[in-house]
Amino acid sequence: MDLNFNKNEDYNKLLVTNLKKRLVKVKLGGGKSKIEKEHAKGKLTARERIDYLLDSKSKSIEIGAFAGEDMYESHGGCPSAGVVVKIGYIKGKQCIVVANDATVKAGAWFPITAKKNLRAQEIAMENKLPIIYLVDSAGVYLPLQDEIFPDKEHFGRIFRNNAQMSSLGIIQIAAIMGSCVAGGAYLPIMSDEAIIVDKTASIFLAGSYLVKAAIGESIDNETLGGATTHCEISGVTDYKAKDDADALDKIKSIMNKVGDFDKAGFNRIPSKKPKSNPNDIFGLLPKSRADQYDMYEIIKRLVDNSEIEEYKADYGKTIITAYARIDGWSVGIIANQRKLVKSANKEMQFGGVIYNDSADKATRFIANCNQKKIPLVFLQDVTGFMVGSKSEHSGIIKDGAKMVNALSNSVVPKFTIIIGNSYGAGNYAMCGKAYDPRLIVAWPSAELAVMSGNSAAKVLLQIETASLKKKGETITIEKETELFDQIKIRYDKQVSPYYSAARLWTDAIIEPTDTRDWISVGIEAANHAPIKKVFNMGVIQV
């Protein structure tokens, strides 16, 4: 290996080390002292509950681990949005599990908590996947109630989704394992079956203090809404559990008796590991997001047996379109080629840029995969569409629109991996969040923004200096450099994959070597939902 490979490898492995360190911190939730308090009550933490519930040694993936990071520091923070979400297996059946983290503000709902819960429900609804709620929450975080209560995508949407999922035949099971108050009480009771833990769990529309204030009745919380009350008197809950483990065992027992599901029928054969070493990715991926590299070499380390069947290999070379297999699943890969290539007329084309011919090729390939019922995998490292008179005169807007149209109307499941750049309209065309990928994840090397940090800082600097000059201020070279650095630092923070993950613009930041697992778990989930729509691009200029 050359020196450049070694430098890249050191840099990218350092990014992964940083990722692991940040995940360790996130997994502590509200901190060790809060965890100890939960244990003192005889309760497991949210993560311990999920670990107990999921089949041991089975694959699982976590959605939104970094949700809420650095977003609510003035309120004491909200690690993982105060809720843990994982896709895994219970008695061999794939499920999505949602567990309130009582170590974070007693499991109170921040705005990002609602968004993350809605994302979990979206995954369940798209994939017809059973969803398990482990409820332990003090309800809405009142200082931010105006950001979570009344709007369409706020707290109330969760209960609407409960009802919709029930009508769709999606299994919902809830275990009340702590506090369950006010509007939040509807979530478990709108599920198919509800379990409540004796002594440590309660559920009511209003707690004892509010009852006293509202109607003057004096009553303790256990009598008002404990396990005995709801299992023997009200009939609100279906099962009483003696402790957390007993409640989780009841969920396992229920799932063990669930019948098989209708399948979409995606093609799968026995899995083969890549022939090319996946760890080479760390050395192949350049340190600088501006540097060129060969995306074919990355693909070889992600697909079974390192084999692809390329579609239109000699046309539209800045996008690679190929059939392959990932963990045995048949997939159609659409990837940005990041090295300089020559077009048919021998002109050089920039890597990571979408040209007319590459947009046209991708459109045709998306249509073909829909025709053959093959899931699509997008490998993003894109700076955008080609600009300039030649591209405009050739109809780049029309070709880009066709690609976006095909993407928008695609009926097969889509999965997006952001490897490097994800800028502007390129993010959209390569199946960004707005285009409904079943899962969208980023490598630690990813950058998401309208444009790169350098380009944006230059544009913003021009605006800033023009404004200062209008005010009569003299702008020296030193002052201009200082302004540029300030702007770039601010912008670079927003470009970071952690900034995107905190806001759930992506589902996770993952190690590159975990990519195959994420795609495989995602396609298995999608296989629960038979495709009932027909691919149709509607009215579009051809």
Side-chain angles (χ1 to χ4, degrees):
M1 299 296 178
D2 60 23
L3 182 61
N4 198 45
F5 183 98
N6 292 335
K7 287 181 178 179
N8 291 338
E9 185 176 45
D10 289 344
Y11 177 77
N12 286 308
K13 285 188 174 180
L14 192 63
L15 291 181
V16 169
T17 299
N18 179 49
L19 169 63
K20 289 178 177 177
K21 286 180 179 177
R22 294 174 81 144
L23 281 171
V24 168
K25 183 179 178 182
V26 158
K27 288 177 181 179
L28 289 174
K32 290 181 180 179
S33 64
K34 296 288 180 65
I35 291 172
E36 289 168 2
K37 285 181 180 179
E38 291 301 297
H39 289 165
K41 297 174 188 175
K43 296 165 65 176
L44 300 173
T45 65
R47 291 184 181 278
E48 288 167 344
R49 287 166 177 168
I50 292 177
D51 288 344
Y52 185 96
L53 184 60
L54 296 181
D55 297 345
S56 60
K57 298 181 180 178
S58 64
K59 286 181 185 176
S60 67
I61 59 175
E62 182 171 354
I63 305 295
F66 291 107
E69 186 175 85
D70 294 335
M71 289 178 65
Y72 303 101
E73 295 312 295
S74 62
H75 295 271
C78 188
S80 276
V83 62
V84 183
V85 176
K86 284 191 177 183
I87 300 175
Y89 302 83
I90 302 172
K91 294 297 182 181
K93 295 177 178 66
Q94 195 179 42
C95 305
I96 185 162
V97 184
V98 181
N100 298 117
D101 187 349
T103 70
V104 179
K105 300 289 186 185
W109 289 62
F110 283 65
I112 194 67
T113 314
K115 186 173 182 179
K116 187 169 174 178
N117 275 265
L118 288 170
R119 175 61 180 141
Q121 289 185 322
E122 180 183 40
I123 291 170
M125 293 171 81
E126 284 180 330
N127 299 292
K128 305 292 187 289
L129 208 59
I131 185 166
I132 314 298
Y133 306 103
L134 307 181
V135 183
D136 193 347
S137 171
V140 167
Y141 183 64
L142 290 178
L144 297 173
Q145 65 85 27
D146 62 321
E147 298 179 40
I148 189 175
F149 171 62
D151 209 347
K152 181 179 179 181
E153 298 298 327
H154 283 178
F155 194 63
R157 187 76 170 183
I158 291 163
F159 316 132
R160 172 264 190 192
N161 287 350
N162 286 141
Q164 290 259 308
M165 283 190 279
S166 183
S167 72
L168 293 169
I170 297 169
I171 294 168
Q172 299 178 84
I173 302 169
I176 304 152
M177 310 183 80
S179 181
C180 188
V181 187
Y186 288 106
L187 183 146
I189 308 311
M190 291 186 75
S191 299
D192 305 326
E193 295 181 271
I195 301 152
I196 185 168
V197 179
D198 196 19
K199 306 304 181 189
T200 57
S202 57
I203 178 169
F204 33 63
L205 294 181
S208 57
Y209 291 126
L210 185 53
V211 168
K212 177 69 173 176
I215 64 172
E217 181 183 2
S218 295
I219 189 170
D220 64 89
N221 282 340
E222 182 64 26
T223 306
L224 181 65
T228 299
T229 295
H230 286 310
C231 287
E232 298 181 19
I233 301 172
S234 73
V236 166
T237 52
D238 306 305
Y239 307 94
K240 184 196 289 187
K242 63 182 180 181
D243 55 25
D244 281 10
D246 188 34
L248 298 170
D249 285 337
K250 289 184 188 299
I251 294 172
K252 291 181 183 184
S253 178
I254 293 167
M255 288 305 302
N256 198 34
K257 298 173 180 66
V258 171
D260 203 0
F261 57 91
D262 294 336
K263 295 175 177 64
F266 302 123
N267 186 293
R268 192 181 197 186
I269 63 173
S271 175
K272 292 182 180 179
K273 293 181 179 179
K275 279 186 178 178
S276 300
N277 186 355
N279 286 312
D280 290 346
I281 289 172
F282 297 111
L284 293 166
L285 192 67
K287 177 179 177 180
S288 169
R289 295 275 44 84
D291 288 352
Q292 303 280 300
Y293 65 95
D294 191 350
M295 184 62 83
Y296 285 103
E297 294 302 318
I298 302 294
I299 294 172
K300 284 180 187 177
R301 287 153 178 85
L302 296 177
V303 302
D304 288 14
N305 217 32
S306 299
E307 292 178 345
I308 64 171
E309 183 180 343
E310 193 168 2
Y311 172 79
K312 289 185 179 289
D314 299 318
Y315 176 70
K317 292 183 179 181
T318 64
I319 283 183
I320 299 166
T321 50
Y323 301 106
R325 289 190 182 273
I326 293 177
D327 196 27
W329 293 104
S330 171
V331 297
I333 293 174
I334 300 177
N336 302 111
Q337 174 58 295
R338 277 306 314 272
K339 72 173 187 178
L340 289 167
V341 296
K342 285 186 178 179
S343 65
N345 61 5
K346 307 303 180 185
E347 287 186 4
M348 295 304 297
Q349 293 183 335
F350 296 102
V353 178
I354 302 174
Y355 288 77
N356 298 73
D357 52 0
S358 48
D360 175 66
K361 177 171 77 169
T363 302
R364 293 168 183 262
F365 187 69
I366 291 168
N368 283 349
C369 287
N370 274 270
Q371 181 80 353
K372 298 173 183 176
K373 203 160 69 172
I374 298 174
L376 289 162
V377 174
F378 291 82
L379 303 178
Q380 275 198 20
D381 195 343
V382 58
T383 52
F385 285 87
M386 190 58 191
V387 296
S389 60
K390 185 173 182 180
S391 289
E392 297 293 357
H393 295 171
S394 299
I396 187 67
I397 296 174
K398 182 178 71 174
D399 289 325
K402 285 192 293 184
M403 182 176 174
V404 170
N405 186 295
L407 178 68
S408 302
N409 288 295
S410 177
V411 297
V412 296
K414 307 182 290 287
F415 302 89
T416 302
I417 316 297
I418 304 173
I419 290 175
N421 302 327
S422 182
Y423 297 153
N427 168 281
Y428 298 161
M430 290 296 292
C431 199
K433 180 75 170 178
Y435 293 86
D436 300 320
R438 297 292 176 96
L439 293 172
I440 176 170
V441 298
W443 289 1
S445 48
E447 292 187 356
L448 285 80
V450 173
M451 61 183 75
S452 70
N454 275 329
S455 298
K458 288 175 183 176
V459 172
L460 292 169
L461 178 65
Q462 290 176 34
I463 296 169
E464 182 73 15
T465 53
S467 175
L468 291 172
K469 285 176 181 177
K470 281 184 180 179
K471 295 175 182 177
E473 294 189 30
T474 302
I475 307 299
T476 63
I477 293 174
E478 291 78 11
K479 178 67 173 175
E480 192 172 282
T481 302
E482 182 185 346
L483 282 171
F484 178 84
D485 290 341
Q486 289 174 355
I487 292 167
K488 190 171 185 303
I489 289 169
R490 185 173 70 245
Y491 196 87
D492 283 347
K493 182 181 179 182
Q494 296 177 1
V495 167
S496 163
Y498 293 95
Y499 189 91
S500 299
R503 289 151 183 79
L504 288 172
W505 301 341
T506 59
D507 291 315
I509 303 172
I510 67 169
E511 297 181 41
T513 48
D514 288 340
T515 303
R516 282 169 54 84
D517 283 346
W518 272 79
I519 293 170
S520 179
V521 168
I523 297 176
E524 184 173 347
N527 204 36
H528 285 71
I531 297 171
K532 296 181 179 179
K533 292 182 179 180
V534 176
F535 175 70
N536 185 342
M537 287 180 63
V539 179
I540 185 76
Q541 296 181 59
V542 295

